Amino acid sequence: QVQVVESGGGLVQPGGSLRLYCAASGSLFSFNVMGWYRQVPGKQREFIAEITSGGRSSYSDSVKGRFFISGDGANNTMYMQMRSLKHEDTAVYYCYAKIDSDGIDYWGKGTLVTVSS
């Protein structure tokens, strides 16, 4: 059974920083892509960032230049460093992992980030 687990969420003041962590496990195959979405009540889930096993990353315009993603494909782990956080960054952040060979997207349960003074 594949598991994806996020951690690192919490309360941070505007302008502050936070680091999120994700670990995927339980697959006999390597994860080809890992990334992050976020969601707030009443809104659609929003793509944030992703990274491939080759180290190529991409970001949404809303976080580009503030959030930085890195990963270790061999260990199926991923980090996202968030800087210059804003009130509008408040959301539940979900990690996902993809395996090309099975075509399935695996999702974590989410970790809450609250940006408030």
Side-chain angles (χ1 to χ4, degrees):
Q1 185 79 44
V2 173
Q3 288 187 304
V4 178
V5 180
E6 312 98 331
S7 62
L11 176 64
V12 63
Q13 293 186 356
S17 299
L18 204 62
R19 176 177 282 249
L20 302 184
Y21 171 82
C22 179
S25 63
S27 176
L28 296 176
F29 307 98
S30 298
F31 292 92
N32 301 103
V33 179
M34 296 182 70
W36 297 90
Y37 276 71
R38 69 186 181 189
Q39 189 169 31
V40 300
K43 297 184 179 180
Q44 295 187 37
R45 189 169 294 189
E46 175 191 11
F47 169 78
I48 298 300
E50 68 177 19
I51 188 167
T52 70
S53 59
R56 305 294 293 180
S57 60
S58 60
Y59 301 87
S60 70
D61 289 339
S62 63
V63 305
K64 188 176 296 183
R66 298 189 298 119
F67 291 10
F68 303 90
I69 193 171
S70 61
D72 182 347
N75 293 311
N76 298 312
T77 58
M78 176 180 60
Y79 297 90
M80 186 165 69
Q81 180 69 47
M82 303 183 292
R83 296 187 173 96
S84 301
L85 285 162
K86 308 172 182 179
H87 287 291
E88 50 264 45
D89 294 318
T90 297
V92 177
Y93 285 73
Y94 297 91
C95 175
Y96 68 91
K98 299 174 65 176
I99 304 173
D100 288 348
S101 60
D102 66 13
I104 298 173
D105 296 344
Y106 300 95
W107 292 86
K109 300 296 184 182
T111 185
L112 176 63
V113 173
T114 302
V115 184
S116 177
S117 60

